[in-house]
Amino acid sequence: MDRSQYLTVSELTKYLKMKFDRDPYLHTVYLTGELSNFRLRQKHQYFSLKDDNAVIDAVMFEHQFRKIKFTPEQGMKVCVVGHVSLYEKSGRYQIYIDRMEPDGLGSLYLAFEQLKKKLSAEGLFSLPKKQIPMFPKRIAVVTSIDGAVIRDINTTVRRRYPIAQVVLYPTVVQGDKAAADIARQINRANDRGDFDTLIIGRGGGSMEDLWPFNEEVVARAIANSKIPVISSVGHETDTTIADLVADQRAATPTAAAELATPVKLNDILLTIKDDQNRLLNTMRTKINFDRQQLNKQLQSYIFQQPTRLYENYAQKVDQLTQQLGQTAQNKMQEMRMNLERLSGRLTAASSLHRVQQQEQLVKQLQKQLVTASLANQNEKRQQVTSLIKQLDSLSPLKIMSRGYTYVTSDEKVVNHASQLTVGQNVHLHFDDGEVQAEIKKVKEH
């Protein structure tokens, strides 16, 4: 046998891994599937992606997993981007994921809904709302130092209620560190303890720009605030977690300043105008959104290829029909076997059969009794014969017939010479009689 043509397992695995790593089609793979065997771990995430017919192992390392905004859950459909390679130790291929998005929903929107559901279950949105003071002395504002928010609030307060003092708590309102900074400034204003109203806000922007106001740390800081909080984040159509937790929500920084100061007639007219504009903008946004949803639905495969709706069901009906036939056949076979087993038990349990069995048992026991009696008689006979032989062999007459005698004196057997004296009369007993003798001499050994 030429062993040089054989590879080791390690050599073959390294070769296959090299094939995976050099395949340009596997360098960047876009994949969609359902999360399986998913359990949230502290660092790296190990799970599977599957569909109805296949499954693939997946790995997402800690530094990539930290970048996603939503919380993956078992059974969730996701879209991922990564590369496929071979893990040499187990010899299994897997996808190494760089990015992950929910299938059909944006990650930020999903994270928003998840946190909203969590805080709603805790009751943060249903806490009693604190009343906004009508005539405030000091108003704290948590926002950017160089944005238009603080300028709009200052302008509105000076115009409506100039005796109120506005104190700015400058904060970062965008980026990864913004949420912690916003929460810290809210807590600072509460620690000071002499503010009547607190306004948090920033200008408009994308959902990513407004995301710090959707962070849990900001929501809990607002919920724990002893000062009534007015939230003014984004535009009229933007809604953040901060808006839901706050005691009042304002569409714009100007509206927030108006809520924090006394109302005038002109303000009521302006509010009506603002409401009209907000209503128009909301309806316009709603119409545009519904139009987009309608176009999306019209382009879906349900309308483009309606036959796909029942293809899987038709196949499933065939499978179930086949299973039904097999199940019915198996059930008939089982019932037939049960019937045969019960018939046998019925025959065995009949009275005639039991009488025949008892008669046969009586005859068998009679035979055993006779056999045992004969065996017992033979055994006893043998025992008697054996005892007779033993008794005969031990009889002193048997010994005396061979020429032995024994001596008695005064009808007592003499066993030792020391029991006799000179001149003493003794009797000698033989097999065929006895004689009287006189002791002439005693010699002891």
Side-chain angles (χ1 to χ4, degrees):
M1 182 179 64
D2 184 8
R3 297 183 61 85
S4 62
Q5 63 183 341
Y6 290 85
L7 294 175
T8 65
V9 175
S10 299
E11 290 171 342
L12 176 60
T13 304
K14 287 182 179 179
Y15 176 77
L16 293 175
K17 178 174 173 57
M18 180 186 67
K19 284 291 189 180
F20 273 85
D21 293 341
R22 290 184 178 180
D23 190 333
Y25 294 103
L26 301 180
H27 287 176
T28 303
V29 177
Y30 296 82
L31 198 62
T32 181
E34 179 181 313
L35 292 178
S36 178
N37 299 322
F38 184 84
R39 177 173 59 84
L40 195 62
R41 294 173 170 85
Q42 291 185 350
K43 291 188 177 181
H44 310 315
Q45 307 299 317
Y46 301 93
F47 51 93
S48 302
L49 289 173
K50 70 174 185 177
D51 56 21
D52 293 339
N53 301 308
V55 61
I56 182 174
D57 291 339
V59 180
M60 193 168 191
F61 294 116
E62 182 182 10
H63 61 280
Q64 281 100 359
F65 188 73
R66 285 179 179 175
K67 296 178 183 178
I68 66 176
K69 298 294 185 181
F70 67 101
T71 302
E73 298 174 353
Q74 172 73 9
M76 181 182 291
K77 294 201 66 177
V78 295
C79 297
V80 301
V81 181
H83 67 279
V84 177
S85 185
L86 189 77
Y87 182 51
E88 293 185 48
K89 188 171 182 179
S90 64
R92 300 174 67 178
Y93 76 93
Q94 56 191 11
I95 181 169
Y96 295 82
I97 298 174
D98 298 321
R99 300 195 307 273
M100 180 187 295
E101 295 286 342
D103 188 5
L105 291 174
S107 61
L108 291 180
Y109 178 75
L110 180 58
F112 173 84
E113 290 297 327
Q114 288 177 337
L115 181 58
K116 181 179 176 182
K117 181 179 180 181
K118 174 184 176 181
L119 297 182
S120 178
E122 292 183 19
L124 254 66
F125 300 152
S126 57
L127 292 174
K129 302 299 183 182
K130 294 181 283 293
Q131 188 69 32
I132 305 298
M134 185 173 294
F135 303 102
K137 296 179 180 179
R138 294 169 60 83
I139 301 173
V141 180
V142 177
T143 188
S144 173
I145 192 172
D146 55 0
V149 174
I150 188 60
R151 292 196 301 270
D152 292 344
I153 291 175
N154 273 329
T155 300
T156 304
V157 172
R158 283 198 301 268
R159 173 175 55 83
R160 290 170 56 90
Y161 198 63
I163 64 174
Q165 181 184 6
V166 177
V167 178
L168 173 64
Y169 281 84
T171 183
V172 181
V173 294
Q174 186 172 333
D176 295 336
K177 299 180 180 179
D181 196 40
I182 294 168
R184 183 176 64 85
Q185 295 292 44
I186 293 173
N187 294 331
R188 281 189 61 202
N190 275 271
D191 291 340
R192 181 160 176 170
D194 59 353
F195 290 104
D196 301 298
T197 306
L198 189 151
I199 300 174
I200 63 170
R202 63 154 288 158
S206 64
M207 193 171 190
E208 290 81 358
D209 296 335
L210 304 179
W211 190 251
F213 295 90
N214 288 319
E215 295 280 2
E216 184 173 355
V217 63
V218 174
R220 296 198 181 279
I222 295 173
N224 295 330
S225 175
K226 298 180 179 61
I227 308 170
V229 178
I230 300 175
S231 174
S232 174
V233 180
H235 298 298
E236 291 89 341
T237 56
D238 298 320
T239 301
T240 63
I241 297 294
D243 295 329
L244 299 175
V245 182
D247 299 294
Q248 285 279 356
R249 191 248 175 171
T252 63
T254 298
E258 292 171 350
L259 288 172
T261 53
V263 178
K264 296 181 180 179
L265 179 59
N266 290 337
D267 295 333
I268 296 175
L269 296 177
L270 290 174
T271 301
I272 294 174
K273 186 64 177 178
D274 289 341
D275 290 341
Q276 289 177 339
N277 293 333
R278 187 162 57 251
L279 179 61
L280 289 175
N281 291 333
T282 302
M283 292 300 298
R284 188 178 296 112
T285 302
K286 178 67 175 174
I287 291 172
N288 290 335
F289 177 80
D290 290 342
R291 183 179 290 112
Q292 293 175 1
Q293 291 297 311
L294 177 61
N295 291 333
K296 182 179 179 180
Q297 295 298 328
L298 290 176
Q299 294 174 4
S300 66
Y301 78 92
I302 295 177
F303 292 96
Q304 299 294 327
Q305 296 179 336
T307 56
R308 291 189 179 182
L309 283 173
Y310 57 84
E311 288 177 349
N312 291 336
Y313 292 100
Q315 184 177 358
K316 190 171 184 179
V317 168
D318 290 340
Q319 293 176 350
L320 292 175
T321 302
Q322 184 178 0
Q323 291 177 5
L324 180 61
Q326 185 64 40
T327 301
Q329 184 177 355
N330 294 339
K331 189 65 177 178
M332 290 294 293
Q333 181 67 23
E334 181 183 356
M335 293 176 67
R336 187 178 294 109
M337 293 176 62
N338 287 337
L339 179 60
E340 293 175 357
R341 184 174 68 254
L342 291 174
S343 298
R345 289 175 60 184
L346 182 61
T347 301
S350 65
S351 58
L352 178 61
H353 182 74
R354 293 183 62 185
V355 169
Q356 292 175 348
Q357 283 185 331
Q358 295 299 323
E359 288 179 350
Q360 185 176 0
L361 179 61
V362 168
K363 292 179 181 179
Q364 184 178 358
L365 291 176
Q366 288 176 342
K367 290 181 180 180
Q368 292 178 358
L369 179 60
V370 172
T371 302
S373 299
L374 293 175
N376 186 49
Q377 289 179 1
N378 292 332
E379 182 182 357
K380 297 300 181 182
R381 185 179 293 107
Q382 291 176 0
Q383 290 179 356
V384 170
T385 303
S386 176
L387 292 173
I388 291 173
K389 290 180 179 180
Q390 293 178 14
L391 182 61
D392 184 65
S393 65
L394 296 175
S395 173
L397 297 177
K398 190 76 173 180
I399 297 174
M400 294 174 67
S401 66
R402 294 197 296 271
Y404 290 90
T405 64
Y406 68 93
V407 180
T408 62
S409 176
D410 298 329
E411 297 182 356
K412 294 182 180 180
V413 178
V414 179
N415 295 323
H416 304 286
S418 60
Q419 295 178 277
L420 300 175
T421 57
V422 176
Q424 183 179 354
N425 292 320
V426 296
H427 291 84
L428 300 177
H429 296 270
F430 295 89
D431 178 47
D432 55 350
E434 64 179 56
V435 297
Q436 184 175 0
E438 182 181 352
I439 302 300
K440 298 294 184 178
K441 182 180 181 180
V442 178
K443 185 181 181 180
E444 296 181 8
H445 296 293

PDB file of all heavy atoms in Angstrom, residues 338-367:
ATOM      1  N   ASN A 338     -54.843  -6.447  17.314  1.00  0.00           N
ATOM      2  CA  ASN A 338     -55.548  -6.401  18.594  1.00  0.00           C
ATOM      3  C   ASN A 338     -56.687  -7.417  18.644  1.00  0.00           C
ATOM      4  O   ASN A 338     -56.929  -8.062  19.671  1.00  0.00           O
ATOM      5  CB  ASN A 338     -56.101  -4.997  18.839  1.00  0.00           C
ATOM      6  CG  ASN A 338     -55.011  -4.005  19.179  1.00  0.00           C
ATOM      7  OD1 ASN A 338     -53.931  -4.393  19.640  1.00  0.00           O
ATOM      8  ND2 ASN A 338     -55.260  -2.721  18.955  1.00  0.00           N
ATOM      9  N   LEU A 339     -57.407  -7.566  17.497  1.00  0.00           N
ATOM     10  CA  LEU A 339     -58.512  -8.517  17.433  1.00  0.00           C
ATOM     11  C   LEU A 339     -58.001  -9.944  17.625  1.00  0.00           C
ATOM     12  O   LEU A 339     -58.598 -10.743  18.363  1.00  0.00           O
ATOM     13  CB  LEU A 339     -59.238  -8.380  16.089  1.00  0.00           C
ATOM     14  CG  LEU A 339     -60.422  -9.332  15.856  1.00  0.00           C
ATOM     15  CD1 LEU A 339     -61.495  -9.124  16.921  1.00  0.00           C
ATOM     16  CD2 LEU A 339     -61.007  -9.135  14.459  1.00  0.00           C
ATOM     17  N   GLU A 340     -56.891 -10.296  16.956  1.00  0.00           N
ATOM     18  CA  GLU A 340     -56.323 -11.636  17.096  1.00  0.00           C
ATOM     19  C   GLU A 340     -55.866 -11.897  18.528  1.00  0.00           C
ATOM     20  O   GLU A 340     -56.063 -12.989  19.072  1.00  0.00           O
ATOM     21  CB  GLU A 340     -55.154 -11.808  16.123  1.00  0.00           C
ATOM     22  CG  GLU A 340     -55.592 -11.807  14.658  1.00  0.00           C
ATOM     23  CD  GLU A 340     -54.406 -11.855  13.712  1.00  0.00           C
ATOM     24  OE1 GLU A 340     -53.263 -11.825  14.211  1.00  0.00           O
ATOM     25  OE2 GLU A 340     -54.615 -11.902  12.497  1.00  0.00           O
ATOM     26  N   ARG A 341     -55.243 -10.891  19.129  1.00  0.00           N
ATOM     27  CA  ARG A 341     -54.769 -11.048  20.501  1.00  0.00           C
ATOM     28  C   ARG A 341     -55.945 -11.239  21.470  1.00  0.00           C
ATOM     29  O   ARG A 341     -55.926 -12.096  22.359  1.00  0.00           O
ATOM     30  CB  ARG A 341     -53.942  -9.829  20.917  1.00  0.00           C
ATOM     31  CG  ARG A 341     -53.338  -9.969  22.311  1.00  0.00           C
ATOM     32  CD  ARG A 341     -52.408  -8.820  22.654  1.00  0.00           C
ATOM     33  NE  ARG A 341     -53.148  -7.569  22.793  1.00  0.00           N
ATOM     34  CZ  ARG A 341     -53.126  -6.596  21.897  1.00  0.00           C
ATOM     35  NH1 ARG A 341     -52.423  -6.731  20.787  1.00  0.00           N
ATOM     36  NH2 ARG A 341     -53.813  -5.487  22.096  1.00  0.00           N
ATOM     37  N   LEU A 342     -57.036 -10.485  21.272  1.00  0.00           N
ATOM     38  CA  LEU A 342     -58.203 -10.606  22.145  1.00  0.00           C
ATOM     39  C   LEU A 342     -58.915 -11.942  21.942  1.00  0.00           C
ATOM     40  O   LEU A 342     -59.440 -12.535  22.905  1.00  0.00           O
ATOM     41  CB  LEU A 342     -59.168  -9.444  21.886  1.00  0.00           C
ATOM     42  CG  LEU A 342     -58.669  -8.050  22.322  1.00  0.00           C
ATOM     43  CD1 LEU A 342     -59.634  -6.970  21.883  1.00  0.00           C
ATOM     44  CD2 LEU A 342     -58.472  -8.002  23.839  1.00  0.00           C
ATOM     45  N   SER A 343     -58.949 -12.444  20.700  1.00  0.00           N
ATOM     46  CA  SER A 343     -59.564 -13.748  20.435  1.00  0.00           C
ATOM     47  C   SER A 343     -58.808 -14.849  21.175  1.00  0.00           C
ATOM     48  O   SER A 343     -59.407 -15.758  21.766  1.00  0.00           O
ATOM     49  CB  SER A 343     -59.576 -14.033  18.925  1.00  0.00           C
ATOM     50  OG  SER A 343     -60.358 -13.060  18.250  1.00  0.00           O
ATOM     51  N   GLY A 344     -57.467 -14.762  21.140  1.00  0.00           N
ATOM     52  CA  GLY A 344     -56.656 -15.745  21.862  1.00  0.00           C
ATOM     53  C   GLY A 344     -56.902 -15.688  23.355  1.00  0.00           C
ATOM     54  O   GLY A 344     -56.999 -16.728  24.032  1.00  0.00           O
ATOM     55  N   ARG A 345     -57.009 -14.471  23.878  1.00  0.00           N
ATOM     56  CA  ARG A 345     -57.262 -14.327  25.310  1.00  0.00           C
ATOM     57  C   ARG A 345     -58.653 -14.858  25.680  1.00  0.00           C
ATOM     58  O   ARG A 345     -58.854 -15.458  26.746  1.00  0.00           O
ATOM     59  CB  ARG A 345     -57.138 -12.857  25.697  1.00  0.00           C
ATOM     60  CG  ARG A 345     -55.705 -12.332  25.666  1.00  0.00           C
ATOM     61  CD  ARG A 345     -55.636 -10.843  25.944  1.00  0.00           C
ATOM     62  NE  ARG A 345     -56.191 -10.546  27.270  1.00  0.00           N
ATOM     63  CZ  ARG A 345     -56.317  -9.304  27.741  1.00  0.00           C
ATOM     64  NH1 ARG A 345     -55.933  -8.269  27.003  1.00  0.00           N
ATOM     65  NH2 ARG A 345     -56.815  -9.115  28.937  1.00  0.00           N
ATOM     66  N   LEU A 346     -59.659 -14.652  24.786  1.00  0.00           N
ATOM     67  CA  LEU A 346     -61.015 -15.141  25.030  1.00  0.00           C
ATOM     68  C   LEU A 346     -61.050 -16.662  25.057  1.00  0.00           C
ATOM     69  O   LEU A 346     -61.694 -17.282  25.921  1.00  0.00           O
ATOM     70  CB  LEU A 346     -61.961 -14.595  23.956  1.00  0.00           C
ATOM     71  CG  LEU A 346     -63.441 -14.982  24.105  1.00  0.00           C
ATOM     72  CD1 LEU A 346     -63.991 -14.450  25.433  1.00  0.00           C
ATOM     73  CD2 LEU A 346     -64.249 -14.431  22.937  1.00  0.00           C
ATOM     74  N   THR A 347     -60.335 -17.307  24.147  1.00  0.00           N
ATOM     75  CA  THR A 347     -60.289 -18.767  24.108  1.00  0.00           C
ATOM     76  C   THR A 347     -59.641 -19.312  25.377  1.00  0.00           C
ATOM     77  O   THR A 347     -60.108 -20.288  25.984  1.00  0.00           O
ATOM     78  CB  THR A 347     -59.506 -19.229  22.866  1.00  0.00           C
ATOM     79  OG1 THR A 347     -60.154 -18.721  21.686  1.00  0.00           O
ATOM     80  CG2 THR A 347     -59.445 -20.752  22.812  1.00  0.00           C
ATOM     81  N   ALA A 348     -58.536 -18.651  25.767  1.00  0.00           N
ATOM     82  CA  ALA A 348     -57.824 -19.100  26.964  1.00  0.00           C
ATOM     83  C   ALA A 348     -58.667 -18.920  28.211  1.00  0.00           C
ATOM     84  O   ALA A 348     -58.518 -19.651  29.197  1.00  0.00           O
ATOM     85  CB  ALA A 348     -56.503 -18.336  27.095  1.00  0.00           C
ATOM     86  N   ALA A 349     -59.577 -17.941  28.217  1.00  0.00           N
ATOM     87  CA  ALA A 349     -60.369 -17.644  29.406  1.00  0.00           C
ATOM     88  C   ALA A 349     -61.676 -18.430  29.463  1.00  0.00           C
ATOM     89  O   ALA A 349     -62.422 -18.323  30.436  1.00  0.00           O
ATOM     90  CB  ALA A 349     -60.683 -16.146  29.459  1.00  0.00           C
ATOM     91  N   SER A 350     -62.030 -19.262  28.449  1.00  0.00           N
ATOM     92  CA  SER A 350     -63.306 -19.981  28.442  1.00  0.00           C
ATOM     93  C   SER A 350     -63.321 -21.051  29.536  1.00  0.00           C
ATOM     94  O   SER A 350     -62.290 -21.617  29.904  1.00  0.00           O
ATOM     95  CB  SER A 350     -63.532 -20.624  27.072  1.00  0.00           C
ATOM     96  OG  SER A 350     -62.553 -21.604  26.838  1.00  0.00           O
ATOM     97  N   SER A 351     -64.540 -21.422  30.096  1.00  0.00           N
ATOM     98  CA  SER A 351     -64.676 -22.363  31.218  1.00  0.00           C
ATOM     99  C   SER A 351     -64.240 -23.775  30.831  1.00  0.00           C
ATOM    100  O   SER A 351     -63.582 -24.473  31.614  1.00  0.00           O
ATOM    101  CB  SER A 351     -66.120 -22.369  31.714  1.00  0.00           C
ATOM    102  OG  SER A 351     -67.008 -22.728  30.645  1.00  0.00           O
ATOM    103  N   LEU A 352     -64.606 -24.252  29.631  1.00  0.00           N
ATOM    104  CA  LEU A 352     -64.236 -25.596  29.202  1.00  0.00           C
ATOM    105  C   LEU A 352     -62.727 -25.746  29.153  1.00  0.00           C
ATOM    106  O   LEU A 352     -62.160 -26.745  29.615  1.00  0.00           O
ATOM    107  CB  LEU A 352     -64.854 -25.887  27.829  1.00  0.00           C
ATOM    108  CG  LEU A 352     -64.515 -27.264  27.209  1.00  0.00           C
ATOM    109  CD1 LEU A 352     -65.022 -28.386  28.135  1.00  0.00           C
ATOM    110  CD2 LEU A 352     -65.139 -27.393  25.820  1.00  0.00           C
ATOM    111  N   HIS A 353     -62.087 -24.718  28.609  1.00  0.00           N
ATOM    112  CA  HIS A 353     -60.625 -24.762  28.519  1.00  0.00           C
ATOM    113  C   HIS A 353     -60.000 -24.804  29.907  1.00  0.00           C
ATOM    114  O   HIS A 353     -59.038 -25.546  30.160  1.00  0.00           O
ATOM    115  CB  HIS A 353     -60.128 -23.541  27.731  1.00  0.00           C
ATOM    116  CG  HIS A 353     -58.643 -23.519  27.547  1.00  0.00           C
ATOM    117  ND1 HIS A 353     -57.987 -24.360  26.666  1.00  0.00           N
ATOM    118  CD2 HIS A 353     -57.697 -22.751  28.139  1.00  0.00           C
ATOM    119  CE1 HIS A 353     -56.690 -24.127  26.725  1.00  0.00           C
ATOM    120  NE2 HIS A 353     -56.489 -23.139  27.611  1.00  0.00           N
ATOM    121  N   ARG A 354     -60.582 -24.055  30.850  1.00  0.00           N
ATOM    122  CA  ARG A 354     -60.039 -24.024  32.209  1.00  0.00           C
ATOM    123  C   ARG A 354     -60.240 -25.375  32.898  1.00  0.00           C
ATOM    124  O   ARG A 354     -59.364 -25.847  33.633  1.00  0.00           O
ATOM    125  CB  ARG A 354     -60.712 -22.920  33.002  1.00  0.00           C
ATOM    126  CG  ARG A 354     -60.364 -21.513  32.502  1.00  0.00           C
ATOM    127  CD  ARG A 354     -61.003 -20.445  33.372  1.00  0.00           C
ATOM    128  NE  ARG A 354     -60.489 -20.535  34.748  1.00  0.00           N
ATOM    129  CZ  ARG A 354     -60.946 -19.774  35.735  1.00  0.00           C
ATOM    130  NH1 ARG A 354     -61.941 -18.915  35.518  1.00  0.00           N
ATOM    131  NH2 ARG A 354     -60.431 -19.878  36.947  1.00  0.00           N
ATOM    132  N   VAL A 355     -61.433 -26.050  32.707  1.00  0.00           N
ATOM    133  CA  VAL A 355     -61.682 -27.378  33.288  1.00  0.00           C
ATOM    134  C   VAL A 355     -60.674 -28.382  32.762  1.00  0.00           C
ATOM    135  O   VAL A 355     -60.098 -29.186  33.508  1.00  0.00           O
ATOM    136  CB  VAL A 355     -63.125 -27.828  32.997  1.00  0.00           C
ATOM    137  CG1 VAL A 355     -63.314 -29.304  33.356  1.00  0.00           C
ATOM    138  CG2 VAL A 355     -64.117 -26.970  33.760  1.00  0.00           C
ATOM    139  N   GLN A 356     -60.436 -28.363  31.440  1.00  0.00           N
ATOM    140  CA  GLN A 356     -59.465 -29.275  30.833  1.00  0.00           C
ATOM    141  C   GLN A 356     -58.074 -29.044  31.407  1.00  0.00           C
ATOM    142  O   GLN A 356     -57.333 -29.995  31.678  1.00  0.00           O
ATOM    143  CB  GLN A 356     -59.460 -29.094  29.309  1.00  0.00           C
ATOM    144  CG  GLN A 356     -60.755 -29.559  28.640  1.00  0.00           C
ATOM    145  CD  GLN A 356     -60.778 -29.248  27.151  1.00  0.00           C
ATOM    146  OE1 GLN A 356     -59.925 -28.492  26.653  1.00  0.00           O
ATOM    147  NE2 GLN A 356     -61.770 -29.799  26.441  1.00  0.00           N
ATOM    148  N   GLN A 357     -57.748 -27.764  31.598  1.00  0.00           N
ATOM    149  CA  GLN A 357     -56.437 -27.451  32.173  1.00  0.00           C
ATOM    150  C   GLN A 357     -56.338 -27.997  33.596  1.00  0.00           C
ATOM    151  O   GLN A 357     -55.295 -28.555  33.998  1.00  0.00           O
ATOM    152  CB  GLN A 357     -56.210 -25.933  32.175  1.00  0.00           C
ATOM    153  CG  GLN A 357     -55.834 -25.357  30.818  1.00  0.00           C
ATOM    154  CD  GLN A 357     -55.502 -23.870  30.924  1.00  0.00           C
ATOM    155  OE1 GLN A 357     -56.019 -23.179  31.792  1.00  0.00           O
ATOM    156  NE2 GLN A 357     -54.653 -23.399  30.020  1.00  0.00           N
ATOM    157  N   GLN A 358     -57.422 -27.856  34.412  1.00  0.00           N
ATOM    158  CA  GLN A 358     -57.397 -28.318  35.795  1.00  0.00           C
ATOM    159  C   GLN A 358     -57.313 -29.848  35.861  1.00  0.00           C
ATOM    160  O   GLN A 358     -56.619 -30.413  36.715  1.00  0.00           O
ATOM    161  CB  GLN A 358     -58.639 -27.815  36.546  1.00  0.00           C
ATOM    162  CG  GLN A 358     -58.715 -26.298  36.707  1.00  0.00           C
ATOM    163  CD  GLN A 358     -57.543 -25.760  37.502  1.00  0.00           C
ATOM    164  OE1 GLN A 358     -57.083 -26.401  38.444  1.00  0.00           O
ATOM    165  NE2 GLN A 358     -57.054 -24.593  37.112  1.00  0.00           N
ATOM    166  N   GLU A 359     -58.059 -30.569  34.972  1.00  0.00           N
ATOM    167  CA  GLU A 359     -57.980 -32.018  34.929  1.00  0.00           C
ATOM    168  C   GLU A 359     -56.567 -32.486  34.594  1.00  0.00           C
ATOM    169  O   GLU A 359     -56.032 -33.407  35.200  1.00  0.00           O
ATOM    170  CB  GLU A 359     -58.966 -32.565  33.886  1.00  0.00           C
ATOM    171  CG  GLU A 359     -60.433 -32.451  34.312  1.00  0.00           C
ATOM    172  CD  GLU A 359     -61.379 -32.976  33.231  1.00  0.00           C
ATOM    173  OE1 GLU A 359     -60.888 -33.246  32.110  1.00  0.00           O
ATOM    174  OE2 GLU A 359     -62.577 -33.103  33.503  1.00  0.00           O
ATOM    175  N   GLN A 360     -55.996 -31.848  33.626  1.00  0.00           N
ATOM    176  CA  GLN A 360     -54.626 -32.198  33.254  1.00  0.00           C
ATOM    177  C   GLN A 360     -53.674 -31.943  34.414  1.00  0.00           C
ATOM    178  O   GLN A 360     -52.754 -32.732  34.674  1.00  0.00           O
ATOM    179  CB  GLN A 360     -54.216 -31.395  32.017  1.00  0.00           C
ATOM    180  CG  GLN A 360     -52.837 -31.778  31.483  1.00  0.00           C
ATOM    181  CD  GLN A 360     -52.501 -31.018  30.198  1.00  0.00           C
ATOM    182  OE1 GLN A 360     -53.311 -30.225  29.734  1.00  0.00           O
ATOM    183  NE2 GLN A 360     -51.343 -31.289  29.643  1.00  0.00           N
ATOM    184  N   LEU A 361     -53.929 -30.856  35.154  1.00  0.00           N
ATOM    185  CA  LEU A 361     -53.073 -30.527  36.295  1.00  0.00           C
ATOM    186  C   LEU A 361     -53.228 -31.573  37.403  1.00  0.00           C
ATOM    187  O   LEU A 361     -52.236 -31.985  38.036  1.00  0.00           O
ATOM    188  CB  LEU A 361     -53.429 -29.129  36.832  1.00  0.00           C
ATOM    189  CG  LEU A 361     -52.630 -28.638  38.043  1.00  0.00           C
ATOM    190  CD1 LEU A 361     -51.145 -28.556  37.697  1.00  0.00           C
ATOM    191  CD2 LEU A 361     -53.147 -27.275  38.509  1.00  0.00           C
ATOM    192  N   VAL A 362     -54.511 -32.057  37.667  1.00  0.00           N
ATOM    193  CA  VAL A 362     -54.756 -33.083  38.694  1.00  0.00           C
ATOM    194  C   VAL A 362     -54.022 -34.372  38.344  1.00  0.00           C
ATOM    195  O   VAL A 362     -53.366 -35.001  39.191  1.00  0.00           O
ATOM    196  CB  VAL A 362     -56.268 -33.320  38.854  1.00  0.00           C
ATOM    197  CG1 VAL A 362     -56.524 -34.571  39.700  1.00  0.00           C
ATOM    198  CG2 VAL A 362     -56.934 -32.114  39.489  1.00  0.00           C
ATOM    199  N   LYS A 363     -54.110 -34.823  37.079  1.00  0.00           N
ATOM    200  CA  LYS A 363     -53.417 -36.045  36.647  1.00  0.00           C
ATOM    201  C   LYS A 363     -51.913 -35.902  36.827  1.00  0.00           C
ATOM    202  O   LYS A 363     -51.236 -36.839  37.275  1.00  0.00           O
ATOM    203  CB  LYS A 363     -53.753 -36.344  35.185  1.00  0.00           C
ATOM    204  CG  LYS A 363     -55.206 -36.755  34.963  1.00  0.00           C
ATOM    205  CD  LYS A 363     -55.473 -37.010  33.488  1.00  0.00           C
ATOM    206  CE  LYS A 363     -56.938 -37.408  33.269  1.00  0.00           C
ATOM    207  NZ  LYS A 363     -57.235 -37.652  31.823  1.00  0.00           N
ATOM    208  N   GLN A 364     -51.419 -34.748  36.467  1.00  0.00           N
ATOM    209  CA  GLN A 364     -49.976 -34.513  36.600  1.00  0.00           C
ATOM    210  C   GLN A 364     -49.552 -34.561  38.076  1.00  0.00           C
ATOM    211  O   GLN A 364     -48.529 -35.148  38.426  1.00  0.00           O
ATOM    212  CB  GLN A 364     -49.612 -33.163  35.975  1.00  0.00           C
ATOM    213  CG  GLN A 364     -48.121 -32.868  35.979  1.00  0.00           C
ATOM    214  CD  GLN A 364     -47.804 -31.551  35.303  1.00  0.00           C
ATOM    215  OE1 GLN A 364     -48.692 -30.889  34.804  1.00  0.00           O
ATOM    216  NE2 GLN A 364     -46.532 -31.193  35.279  1.00  0.00           N
ATOM    217  N   LEU A 365     -50.382 -33.977  38.952  1.00  0.00           N
ATOM    218  CA  LEU A 365     -50.051 -33.967  40.378  1.00  0.00           C
ATOM    219  C   LEU A 365     -50.149 -35.381  40.975  1.00  0.00           C
ATOM    220  O   LEU A 365     -49.361 -35.755  41.865  1.00  0.00           O
ATOM    221  CB  LEU A 365     -51.001 -33.022  41.131  1.00  0.00           C
ATOM    222  CG  LEU A 365     -50.811 -31.525  40.826  1.00  0.00           C
ATOM    223  CD1 LEU A 365     -51.880 -30.695  41.550  1.00  0.00           C
ATOM    224  CD2 LEU A 365     -49.418 -31.069  41.256  1.00  0.00           C
ATOM    225  N   GLN A 366     -51.143 -36.219  40.497  1.00  0.00           N
ATOM    226  CA  GLN A 366     -51.243 -37.602  40.953  1.00  0.00           C
ATOM    227  C   GLN A 366     -49.990 -38.392  40.601  1.00  0.00           C
ATOM    228  O   GLN A 366     -49.448 -39.140  41.420  1.00  0.00           O
ATOM    229  CB  GLN A 366     -52.475 -38.272  40.345  1.00  0.00           C
ATOM    230  CG  GLN A 366     -53.803 -37.788  40.942  1.00  0.00           C
ATOM    231  CD  GLN A 366     -55.013 -38.406  40.250  1.00  0.00           C
ATOM    232  OE1 GLN A 366     -54.896 -38.932  39.139  1.00  0.00           O
ATOM    233  NE2 GLN A 366     -56.173 -38.323  40.900  1.00  0.00           N
ATOM    234  N   LYS A 367     -49.535 -38.218  39.368  1.00  0.00           N
ATOM    235  CA  LYS A 367     -48.313 -38.901  38.937  1.00  0.00           C
ATOM    236  C   LYS A 367     -47.133 -38.463  39.801  1.00  0.00           C
ATOM    237  O   LYS A 367     -46.312 -39.274  40.236  1.00  0.00           O
ATOM    238  CB  LYS A 367     -48.024 -38.612  37.462  1.00  0.00           C
ATOM    239  CG  LYS A 367     -49.011 -39.282  36.516  1.00  0.00           C
ATOM    240  CD  LYS A 367     -48.638 -38.955  35.055  1.00  0.00           C
ATOM    241  CE  LYS A 367     -49.620 -39.625  34.100  1.00  0.00           C
ATOM    242  NZ  LYS A 367     -49.291 -39.319  32.683  1.00  0.00           N
TER     243      LYS A 367
END
